[in-house]
Amino acid sequence: MRILLVNPNTTASMTEKAAVAARAVAASGTEIIAATSRMGPVSIEGHYDGALAIPGLLSELKEQKAGGYDAAIIACFDDTGLDAARSFADVPVLGLCESAVATAGFLAQRFTVVTTLERSRVLIDNLVRRYGMGARAKVRASDIPVLQLEDPASGAIDKLRAEIERALSDDGAEAIVLGCAGMTDLARELQDIYGVPVVDGVAAAVKQAEALVSLGLSTSKRGSYASPLAKPFTGAMSAFAPMRAAS
Amino acid sequence: MRILLVNPNTTASMTEKAAVAARAVAASGTEIIAATSRMGPVSIEGHYDGALAIPGLLSELKEQKAGGYDAAIIACFDDTGLDAARSFADVPVLGLCESAVATAGFLAQRFTVVTTLERSRVLIDNLVRRYGMGARAKVRASDIPVLQLEDPASGAIDKLRAEIERALSDDGAEAIVLGCAGMTDLARELQDIYGVPVVDGVAAAVKQAEALVSLGLSTSKRGSYASPLAKPFTGAMSAFAPMRAAS
Amino acid sequence: MRILLVNPNTTASMTEKAAVAARAVAASGTEIIAATSRMGPVSIEGHYDGALAIPGLLSELKEQKAGGYDAAIIACFDDTGLDAARSFADVPVLGLCESAVATAGFLAQRFTVVTTLERSRVLIDNLVRRYGMGARAKVRASDIPVLQLEDPASGAIDKLRAEIERALSDDGAEAIVLGCAGMTDLARELQDIYGVPVVDGVAAAVKQAEALVSLGLSTSKRGSYASPLAKPFTGAMSAFAPMRAAS
Amino acid sequence: MRILLVNPNTTASMTEKAAVAARAVAASGTEIIAATSRMGPVSIEGHYDGALAIPGLLSELKEQKAGGYDAAIIACFDDTGLDAARSFADVPVLGLCESAVATAGFLAQRFTVVTTLERSRVLIDNLVRRYGMGARAKVRASDIPVLQLEDPASGAIDKLRAEIERALSDDGAEAIVLGCAGMTDLARELQDIYGVPVVDGVAAAVKQAEALVSLGLSTSKRGSYASPLAKPFTGAMSAFAPMRAAS
Amino acid sequence: MRILLVNPNTTASMTEKAAVAARAVAASGTEIIAATSRMGPVSIEGHYDGALAIPGLLSELKEQKAGGYDAAIIACFDDTGLDAARSFADVPVLGLCESAVATAGFLAQRFTVVTTLERSRVLIDNLVRRYGMGARAKVRASDIPVLQLEDPASGAIDKLRAEIERALSDDGAEAIVLGCAGMTDLARELQDIYGVPVVDGVAAAVKQAEALVSLGLSTSKRGSYASPLAKPFTGAMSAFAPMRAAS
Amino acid sequence: MRILLVNPNTTASMTEKAAVAARAVAASGTEIIAATSRMGPVSIEGHYDGALAIPGLLSELKEQKAGGYDAAIIACFDDTGLDAARSFADVPVLGLCESAVATAGFLAQRFTVVTTLERSRVLIDNLVRRYGMGARAKVRASDIPVLQLEDPASGAIDKLRAEIERALSDDGAEAIVLGCAGMTDLARELQDIYGVPVVDGVAAAVKQAEALVSLGLSTSKRGSYASPLAKPFTGAMSAFAPMRAAS
């Protein structure tokens, strides 16, 4: 089984970190193919960055078709471009937020997602509500720019830990979800420290991707995720024109 | 007052139709500047088309800054790129769906949105829920490809009328919202036929844009719509890199 | 265009303040006709006052028909009598709360309404939920009796500012809605101080009224806002008996 | 124990029918004092009628204080004036809709309310949602003018039965709530016919009133139902000015 | 009228306390038959205890059929086994939580349930949401093991009072619901201290049971509470095999 | 990895069918240990059967501890005893409904669960709502007694197919979830027939169990799933008394 892990931002070190996390949990027969977007923002912080990361993401999904993959993961906790990717692809596509909150839902009745910047908090809260976890999950921001997570000297981890502690004391959180792909290396350690499940989206998405592939399940092509209709795309986007008509 | 009306698909005849509708309701001092996206799909039908229409939309928002505008309208009922545009712009930005359902909410306690294809139905239903109208509004699809609305011989209007009639008889709809920018020319006639308010998103958005501008209100830059952070964008997206840091 | 602004309490100085605010934002061709209820409470604080303000409100709507008006605004943030007025009138009717929260919804994903007394807080929270903004808006009371807003020496503004500051720090509010018609003169100044959109219901309602009239839209007479059925009214209420049968 | 049953419309025959129903279920020590509003509409069909019935309702609550009562029931399924009455009174006040749906909730997980006219359907649906039963209860209208329920030859009962049968077959209703005070005499017979619980609001409200009184519980005067503040009321409403200050 | 009050834990002193509370509010013609489960946990604290209390509860419901009863109450605030008991019994069955929150709903628009241990908080919050009060009620735990409520020297009451005070100051609670059967003796005193309604589930359930019986209403046997189908039960559970087929 | 699959009803042929389905999708290193409850109903149809199946389920969870297992699955779509089992066990516990609807959520925005009897429909609908899928999923009953699924001549599959067809035509379902453990062998064939994803709970639960174990995640022991407190259990339930204190 080949799982394509696409980092929709263009920072290769984040791709590498996510790939390490993915490979650490992948089943023995699973190959993780890591790809970094080749166009768009170096990090995804808020709606503007996210929207402009999607063409780069879709390009990777298309480019990598040559080599073949059985499922794809979008390695950003904002689930950037997830709906578009599901419409495009013939294989299952997983987002980190959706995978992580579904996983946390098996472990705890109430939990808290701790993300980076305030500008991402409501964006993720809207995702959590759409995924049906609005009554069970809170979202907190810890005031960490995404790329500071790449720098051990930034103090980012202290801020993250302080916010987790507030989630435990004030929210009655029974589990924690790490709300950024760049936190993927911290999950196990934080779980040991706090004694509650700490869910990382990269790892969760890998297991959901494996699950769907081995179950022979893929995105429904009936209704909202129907394949793109054949039509012209113009200008700089012309390469994205769908080749084939939807059934 | 100058209102920029951007059609995020690349079909100029739809832009023109929307511009006519916008000018028909604009206040005497309001100038409607119509722009058509120069890159992306010729129509927006589903998530894939929508995501790939956003760079073209944002380009127009940026290009037209030279001439200046006081508010912007995204002329697609899917509210394509609305969150990104609000983060980007310094002026109010309105979407058709959000404007139309808010307007319908002043007229009726229960109403139905009638859109084009089944693939757009759940997408719009998700918007309606996010805007808080999930308990008050239903969404129906009438099985009309968007560009058939440009062709009087297509039978599209008959399909639309049949679906409106189902909304009135089966949903207890007290008003109708037309769920596609391409239906903007039909609102008045359908209102006369059915004797209930028929809300068109283009017209509704123009009035909301005028309202916000004249009230001195613009998108909050605190929290989820904070201005994009200064950072590099790479590859084909490098032109989108934000110039200025967020406050 | 003539917009009738009815203050459903009997304090003429509040009517005057609201009329000033309304005229300040009205379009050049819009005439604001201000009317003060001639029967009922001097201020509306809670359910009892509100219910007993409705006959006075409906009387003004009826009396002013002679002069003619194209839309009506109920100048109380509790949206007192809004449903009854919509059933009665042949023209659009706007409430302050509904207009303000719909307007705020175009500006921010999360916002806070700051009202006067605790007894009004849940009443307004119920309105906010009914209008679909329950997941996006909080309501706070600032412990100010309504008529203290007429007295600059009352300290009311300090209390209001303190509550706005709590909304910003504790709620993650991205915008503020002023939850009383008597606060209408403070919006612009508070917006300047706090740097977030501050929405006043009077101003918002004027623009919504203008929008509906210029769009040729009025309250649906199908379903919940159908015109009153012809029937006798007895005793002190006999003057309210509807003249005409509903269609 | 003395329970005041106020019919907020002015049709004495409906009061009498409700009083018969109330006395049929009252405990041996309970006296039902029936009162008919002396000002307002002869029947309550929609928002306009309802709002103008409230002064008459509150007048009866005030007038009957001389004789004393331990709880009050508002004998209209729209729960007309319930919030105002709770703020006014020193004793528990019950509405028919709230009492009936709470009672049905002990008997069935899903149920349907069958009311009279379409114009009342959404009004009652809004009540049902506010009372927390939106996910469990549907509301249907059977196209019966209220006063036809007083006329055995009107065919009203056949319409009501047809709608109950649709509720059972199409909604999966496990119980039925009769959505008009004028249907109170039909509950037992319909329960026998259909073999599911049929809940009448008058009877339900009597038992809830008895329950609250015997438990020593009354409306909270903290927060939204705080007693009216002492203040002037003007014009035809001056008799309603509260005498005493709220604590 | 005979009401069976079953304590689903095996601590007879708690049964006795609940029986005293029940008899204190029962109507003159009502006989309270108190029964203590003869198998299961000595107190119900969390899901495991609760599930294993159900066979003992159902045994009592079955055993006491010989003597006859007109309604049954499950004397635990977790509403342990309520759905199973309603399916089993031919008479109305009431739970404490459902009865208490429905009762509180007649008295206050917002209220707080104060229970014992944190492990019961979310369990009760889930009940409150299912009963439709999620938007109106908060649930708080006061860190009291259930059986400490039987020991006046335990300090339990001080903890309970501290939590009630937090509910009043922080939640805007207008009423309090006592969230454990073992608190039944404290309601009246706490109501006197805090001046807001304090609702006890045992007392509330007695009045609801009396109400349903006197109204001739019982659990719907259509749909989710249909009588158990005749089928074999094996092993230690064989005594529970239903005797009669469902209609 | 050893996964314990417990059938909480006592019909061994259903256990066998579920074990076959589980082994068909299990990873190469996963051993499925199938166990059949030794006390309780032969099938679980409704609340009564379900509650009385829990002791047998918990007994198996306890008995099999000797052999060791890394996760457990409760092989009934009603998620019978899931909360109790999660409190009891030291390893992850999965239910079929929760696993299936979470899986379907990755594949489709709207889907329908097709279960057996009407008495299970609302029970499952309540689960679906609690798991957060109430806005995305409908539940339908196909009028099939559970054990008829074991009999190819019963016509059960025709009824099931008819209901799936109604889900596709009337609900706009984009995927189907099979709502009974006894349907597990039909998923692949139905998926081929209808061309939409068909999710079986047994298979879904196996993959979720494998995922959690390989991620080093287990049920949170903080809050609602805290380990049972040490305390006496009496009578026939005494064997269930927890041995160890919760942390």
Side-chain angles (χ1 to χ4, degrees):
Chain A
M1 189 188 312
R2 291 162 56 86
I3 297 177
L4 175 64
L5 177 88
V6 183
N7 177 7
N9 76 36
T10 61
T11 298
S13 65
M14 285 189 68
T15 315
E16 185 52 30
K17 193 199 285 186
V20 167
R23 287 175 188 129
V25 301
S28 57
T30 300
E31 182 186 357
I32 302 292
I33 307 155
T36 306
S37 170
R38 282 168 284 184
M39 50 174 154
V42 296
S43 63
I44 298 179
E45 295 168 314
H47 295 292
Y48 181 84
D49 294 355
L52 289 163
I54 300 178
L57 163 73
L58 294 172
S59 283
E60 294 308 308
L61 290 178
K62 192 176 175 189
E63 287 295 308
Q64 302 284 346
K65 269 194 171 178
Y69 51 90
D70 299 297
I73 293 170
I74 302 170
C76 174
F77 202 83
D78 296 359
D79 288 359
T80 310
L82 180 57
D83 289 326
R86 282 192 175 145
S87 301
F88 170 75
D90 292 320
V91 298
V93 183
L94 281 302
L96 302 198
C97 178
E98 191 174 8
S99 298
V101 300
T103 299
F106 296 122
L107 304 169
Q109 297 203 47
R110 299 289 183 272
F111 56 93
T112 294
V113 179
V114 183
T115 189
T116 53
L117 294 179
E118 175 67 13
R119 65 180 59 209
S120 301
R121 189 179 56 82
V122 171
L123 188 161
I124 291 172
D125 191 44
N126 285 349
L127 289 179
V128 165
R129 288 169 193 266
R130 188 180 143 193
Y131 299 152
M133 292 291 180
R136 297 172 63 187
K138 288 206 177 180
V139 184
R140 287 176 169 271
S142 50
D143 193 25
I144 306 171
V146 168
L147 295 181
Q148 280 196 5
L149 288 163
E150 305 297 282
D151 171 12
S154 67
I157 293 171
D158 290 342
K159 287 183 181 174
L160 177 61
R161 288 187 51 174
E163 204 65 32
I164 290 173
E165 287 160 21
R166 278 190 282 271
L168 295 173
S169 65
D170 297 0
D171 305 349
E174 301 172 357
I176 298 294
V177 172
L178 298 180
C180 177
M183 298 171 180
T184 193
D185 52 333
L186 307 170
R188 193 59 70 100
E189 181 190 356
L190 291 167
Q191 180 163 302
D192 290 344
I193 293 170
Y194 293 110
V196 296
V198 175
V199 179
D200 159 50
V202 174
V206 169
K207 302 317 285 184
Q208 296 300 342
E210 290 178 345
L212 295 179
V213 172
S214 66
L215 293 172
L217 291 168
S218 188
T219 308
S220 177
K221 289 295 161 178
R222 185 176 203 269
S224 42
Y225 292 135
S227 294
L229 292 165
K231 69 178 62 168
F233 278 53
T234 67
M237 294 291 137
S238 57
F240 289 101
M243 293 300 169
R244 91 209 129 85
S247 57
Chain B
M1 189 187 312
R2 291 163 57 85
I3 297 177
L4 174 63
L5 177 89
V6 183
N7 176 7
N9 77 35
T10 60
T11 298
S13 64
M14 284 189 70
T15 315
E16 184 51 31
K17 192 199 285 185
V20 167
R23 287 175 188 130
V25 301
S28 58
T30 299
E31 181 184 359
I32 302 293
I33 307 155
T36 306
S37 171
R38 281 168 285 185
M39 51 174 152
V42 295
S43 62
I44 299 179
E45 296 167 315
H47 295 291
Y48 181 84
D49 294 354
L52 290 162
I54 300 179
L57 163 73
L58 294 171
S59 283
E60 293 308 309
L61 290 178
K62 193 176 175 188
E63 287 294 309
Q64 303 283 347
K65 270 196 171 178
Y69 52 89
D70 299 296
I73 293 170
I74 303 170
C76 174
F77 202 83
D78 295 358
D79 289 358
T80 309
L82 179 58
D83 289 325
R86 284 193 174 143
S87 302
F88 170 74
D90 292 319
V91 298
V93 184
L94 280 302
L96 302 197
C97 178
E98 191 175 7
S99 298
V101 300
T103 298
F106 296 121
L107 305 168
Q109 298 203 45
R110 299 289 182 272
F111 56 93
T112 294
V113 180
V114 183
T115 188
T116 52
L117 294 179
E118 175 67 13
R119 67 179 59 210
S120 301
R121 189 179 56 82
V122 171
L123 188 161
I124 290 172
D125 192 44
N126 284 349
L127 288 179
V128 166
R129 288 170 192 267
R130 188 181 142 193
Y131 299 151
M133 294 289 180
R136 296 172 64 187
K138 287 206 176 180
V139 184
R140 287 177 170 271
S142 49
D143 193 25
I144 306 172
V146 168
L147 295 181
Q148 280 196 6
L149 288 163
E150 305 298 281
D151 171 12
S154 67
I157 293 171
D158 290 343
K159 287 184 181 174
L160 177 61
R161 287 186 52 175
E163 204 64 34
I164 289 173
E165 287 161 21
R166 277 189 282 271
L168 294 173
S169 66
D170 296 0
D171 305 349
E174 300 173 357
I176 298 294
V177 172
L178 298 179
C180 177
M183 297 172 181
T184 193
D185 52 334
L186 307 171
R188 193 58 70 102
E189 182 189 356
L190 291 167
Q191 180 163 301
D192 290 345
I193 294 171
Y194 294 110
V196 296
V198 175
V199 180
D200 159 50
V202 174
V206 169
K207 303 317 285 184
Q208 296 300 342
E210 289 179 345
L212 295 179
V213 173
S214 65
L215 293 173
L217 291 167
S218 189
T219 308
S220 178
K221 289 295 160 180
R222 185 177 203 267
S224 41
Y225 293 134
S227 294
L229 292 165
K231 69 178 63 167
F233 278 54
T234 67
M237 295 289 137
S238 56
F240 290 101
M243 294 298 172
R244 91 212 130 83
S247 56
Chain C
M1 189 188 313
R2 291 163 56 86
I3 296 177
L4 175 64
L5 178 89
V6 184
N7 176 7
N9 76 36
T10 61
T11 298
S13 64
M14 285 189 69
T15 314
E16 184 51 31
K17 192 199 285 186
V20 167
R23 287 176 188 129
V25 300
S28 58
T30 300
E31 181 185 358
I32 302 293
I33 308 155
T36 307
S37 170
R38 281 168 284 185
M39 50 175 154
V42 295
S43 62
I44 299 179
E45 296 167 315
H47 295 292
Y48 181 83
D49 294 354
L52 289 163
I54 300 178
L57 163 73
L58 294 172
S59 282
E60 293 308 309
L61 290 178
K62 193 176 175 187
E63 287 295 309
Q64 302 284 347
K65 269 194 172 178
Y69 51 89
D70 299 297
I73 293 169
I74 302 171
C76 173
F77 202 82
D78 295 359
D79 288 358
T80 309
L82 179 58
D83 289 325
R86 283 192 175 145
S87 302
F88 170 75
D90 291 320
V91 298
V93 183
L94 280 304
L96 302 197
C97 178
E98 191 175 7
S99 298
V101 300
T103 298
F106 295 121
L107 304 168
Q109 298 202 48
R110 299 289 183 271
F111 56 93
T112 294
V113 180
V114 183
T115 189
T116 53
L117 294 179
E118 175 67 14
R119 65 179 59 209
S120 300
R121 188 179 57 82
V122 172
L123 188 161
I124 291 172
D125 191 45
N126 285 349
L127 289 180
V128 166
R129 288 170 192 267
R130 189 180 141 193
Y131 299 150
M133 294 289 180
R136 297 171 63 188
K138 288 206 177 181
V139 183
R140 288 177 169 271
S142 50
D143 193 24
I144 306 171
V146 169
L147 295 181
Q148 280 195 6
L149 288 164
E150 305 298 282
D151 171 13
S154 68
I157 293 171
D158 290 343
K159 286 183 181 176
L160 177 61
R161 288 187 51 174
E163 203 65 32
I164 290 172
E165 286 161 22
R166 277 189 282 272
L168 294 173
S169 65
D170 296 0
D171 305 349
E174 301 173 356
I176 297 294
V177 172
L178 298 180
C180 178
M183 298 172 180
T184 193
D185 52 333
L186 306 171
R188 192 59 70 102
E189 181 190 356
L190 291 167
Q191 180 164 301
D192 290 344
I193 293 171
Y194 293 110
V196 296
V198 175
V199 181
D200 160 49
V202 174
V206 168
K207 303 318 284 185
Q208 296 299 342
E210 289 178 345
L212 295 179
V213 172
S214 66
L215 293 172
L217 292 168
S218 188
T219 309
S220 178
K221 290 295 161 179
R222 185 177 203 266
S224 43
Y225 292 135
S227 294
L229 292 165
K231 69 179 61 168
F233 278 54
T234 67
M237 293 291 137
S238 56
F240 290 100
M243 292 298 170
R244 93 210 129 85
S247 57
Chain D
M1 188 189 311
R2 291 163 57 85
I3 296 178
L4 175 64
L5 178 89
V6 182
N7 176 7
N9 76 36
T10 61
T11 299
S13 64
M14 285 189 69
T15 315
E16 184 52 29
K17 192 199 284 186
V20 167
R23 287 176 188 128
V25 301
S28 59
T30 299
E31 182 185 358
I32 303 293
I33 307 156
T36 306
S37 170
R38 281 168 286 185
M39 51 174 155
V42 295
S43 62
I44 299 179
E45 294 167 315
H47 294 292
Y48 180 84
D49 295 354
L52 289 162
I54 300 178
L57 164 73
L58 294 172
S59 282
E60 294 308 308
L61 290 178
K62 191 176 176 190
E63 287 295 309
Q64 302 284 347
K65 269 195 170 176
Y69 52 89
D70 299 297
I73 293 170
I74 301 171
C76 174
F77 201 83
D78 296 357
D79 288 358
T80 310
L82 180 58
D83 290 325
R86 282 192 174 144
S87 301
F88 170 74
D90 293 320
V91 298
V93 183
L94 281 302
L96 302 197
C97 178
E98 191 175 8
S99 299
V101 300
T103 299
F106 296 122
L107 304 168
Q109 298 203 46
R110 299 289 183 272
F111 57 92
T112 294
V113 179
V114 183
T115 189
T116 52
L117 294 180
E118 176 66 14
R119 66 180 59 210
S120 301
R121 188 179 57 82
V122 172
L123 188 161
I124 291 173
D125 191 45
N126 285 349
L127 289 180
V128 165
R129 288 170 193 266
R130 186 178 144 195
Y131 300 151
M133 293 290 180
R136 297 170 65 188
K138 287 205 176 181
V139 183
R140 288 175 169 272
S142 50
D143 192 27
I144 306 171
V146 169
L147 296 181
Q148 280 194 7
L149 288 163
E150 305 297 282
D151 171 12
S154 66
I157 294 172
D158 290 343
K159 287 183 181 174
L160 177 62
R161 287 187 51 174
E163 204 65 32
I164 290 173
E165 285 161 22
R166 278 190 281 271
L168 294 173
S169 65
D170 296 0
D171 305 348
E174 301 173 357
I176 298 294
V177 172
L178 298 179
C180 176
M183 297 171 181
T184 191
D185 51 333
L186 307 170
R188 192 59 70 101
E189 181 189 355
L190 291 168
Q191 180 164 300
D192 290 345
I193 293 170
Y194 293 110
V196 297
V198 176
V199 180
D200 159 50
V202 174
V206 168
K207 304 317 285 185
Q208 295 300 344
E210 289 178 346
L212 295 179
V213 172
S214 66
L215 292 172
L217 292 168
S218 189
T219 308
S220 178
K221 290 295 161 180
R222 184 176 203 270
S224 42
Y225 293 136
S227 294
L229 292 166
K231 70 179 61 168
F233 278 54
T234 66
M237 294 290 137
S238 57
F240 289 101
M243 293 300 170
R244 88 211 132 83
S247 56
Chain E
M1 189 188 311
R2 292 164 55 87
I3 297 177
L4 175 64
L5 177 88
V6 182
N7 176 8
N9 77 35
T10 61
T11 298
S13 64
M14 284 189 68
T15 316
E16 184 52 30
K17 192 199 285 185
V20 166
R23 288 176 187 129
V25 300
S28 59
T30 300
E31 181 185 359
I32 302 293
I33 307 155
T36 306
S37 170
R38 281 168 285 185
M39 50 175 156
V42 296
S43 61
I44 298 180
E45 296 167 315
H47 294 292
Y48 181 85
D49 294 355
L52 289 162
I54 299 178
L57 163 73
L58 294 171
S59 282
E60 294 308 308
L61 290 177
K62 191 176 176 188
E63 286 295 309
Q64 303 283 348
K65 269 195 171 176
Y69 52 89
D70 299 297
I73 293 170
I74 302 171
C76 173
F77 201 84
D78 297 359
D79 288 359
T80 310
L82 179 58
D83 288 326
R86 282 191 175 146
S87 302
F88 171 74
D90 293 320
V91 299
V93 183
L94 281 303
L96 303 197
C97 178
E98 191 176 7
S99 299
V101 300
T103 298
F106 296 121
L107 305 168
Q109 297 203 47
R110 299 289 182 271
F111 56 93
T112 294
V113 179
V114 183
T115 188
T116 52
L117 294 179
E118 174 67 14
R119 66 179 58 211
S120 301
R121 189 179 57 82
V122 172
L123 187 161
I124 290 172
D125 191 44
N126 284 349
L127 289 179
V128 165
R129 288 169 192 267
R130 189 179 143 194
Y131 299 151
M133 293 290 180
R136 297 171 63 188
K138 288 205 176 181
V139 183
R140 289 176 168 272
S142 49
D143 193 25
I144 307 171
V146 168
L147 295 181
Q148 280 195 8
L149 288 164
E150 306 297 282
D151 171 12
S154 67
I157 293 171
D158 290 343
K159 287 183 182 175
L160 177 61
R161 287 188 51 174
E163 204 65 33
I164 290 173
E165 286 160 21
R166 278 189 281 270
L168 294 173
S169 64
D170 297 0
D171 304 349
E174 301 173 356
I176 298 294
V177 171
L178 299 180
C180 177
M183 298 172 180
T184 192
D185 52 334
L186 306 171
R188 193 59 70 102
E189 181 189 356
L190 292 168
Q191 180 164 302
D192 290 345
I193 293 171
Y194 293 109
V196 296
V198 175
V199 180
D200 159 51
V202 174
V206 169
K207 303 317 285 184
Q208 296 299 343
E210 289 178 346
L212 296 178
V213 172
S214 66
L215 293 173
L217 292 168
S218 188
T219 308
S220 177
K221 288 296 161 178
R222 185 176 203 268
S224 44
Y225 293 135
S227 295
L229 292 164
K231 70 179 61 170
F233 278 54
T234 68
M237 294 290 137
S238 57
F240 289 101
M243 292 298 171
R244 91 210 130 84
S247 57
Chain F
M1 188 188 311
R2 291 162 56 87
I3 297 177
L4 175 63
L5 177 88
V6 183
N7 176 8
N9 76 36
T10 60
T11 298
S13 65
M14 284 189 69
T15 315
E16 184 52 30
K17 193 199 284 186
V20 168
R23 287 177 188 128
V25 301
S28 59
T30 300
E31 181 185 358
I32 302 293
I33 308 155
T36 306
S37 170
R38 281 167 286 184
M39 49 174 156
V42 295
S43 62
I44 298 180
E45 296 168 314
H47 295 292
Y48 180 84
D49 294 354
L52 290 162
I54 300 178
L57 163 73
L58 294 171
S59 282
E60 293 309 308
L61 290 178
K62 191 177 177 188
E63 286 295 309
Q64 303 283 348
K65 269 196 171 176
Y69 52 90
D70 299 297
I73 293 170
I74 302 170
C76 174
F77 201 83
D78 296 358
D79 289 357
T80 309
L82 179 58
D83 289 325
R86 283 194 175 144
S87 302
F88 171 74
D90 293 320
V91 298
V93 183
L94 280 303
L96 303 197
C97 179
E98 191 175 8
S99 299
V101 300
T103 299
F106 296 122
L107 305 167
Q109 298 202 44
R110 298 289 183 272
F111 56 94
T112 295
V113 180
V114 183
T115 188
T116 53
L117 294 179
E118 174 68 13
R119 65 180 59 210
S120 301
R121 190 179 56 82
V122 172
L123 188 161
I124 290 172
D125 191 45
N126 285 349
L127 289 179
V128 166
R129 289 169 192 266
R130 188 180 142 193
Y131 299 151
M133 294 290 181
R136 296 172 63 188
K138 288 206 176 181
V139 183
R140 289 176 168 271
S142 50
D143 193 26
I144 306 171
V146 169
L147 294 181
Q148 280 195 7
L149 289 163
E150 305 298 280
D151 171 13
S154 67
I157 293 171
D158 291 342
K159 287 183 181 173
L160 177 62
R161 288 187 50 174
E163 204 65 32
I164 290 173
E165 287 161 22
R166 277 189 282 271
L168 294 173
S169 64
D170 296 1
D171 305 349
E174 301 173 357
I176 298 294
V177 172
L178 298 180
C180 176
M183 298 171 180
T184 192
D185 52 333
L186 307 171
R188 193 59 70 103
E189 182 190 355
L190 291 168
Q191 180 164 303
D192 291 344
I193 293 170
Y194 294 109
V196 296
V198 175
V199 180
D200 160 50
V202 173
V206 169
K207 303 317 285 185
Q208 296 299 343
E210 289 177 346
L212 295 178
V213 173
S214 66
L215 294 172
L217 292 168
S218 188
T219 309
S220 177
K221 289 296 162 180
R222 185 176 203 267
S224 42
Y225 293 136
S227 294
L229 293 165
K231 68 178 64 169
F233 278 54
T234 67
M237 294 290 136
S238 56
F240 289 101
M243 292 299 169
R244 90 212 130 83
S247 56

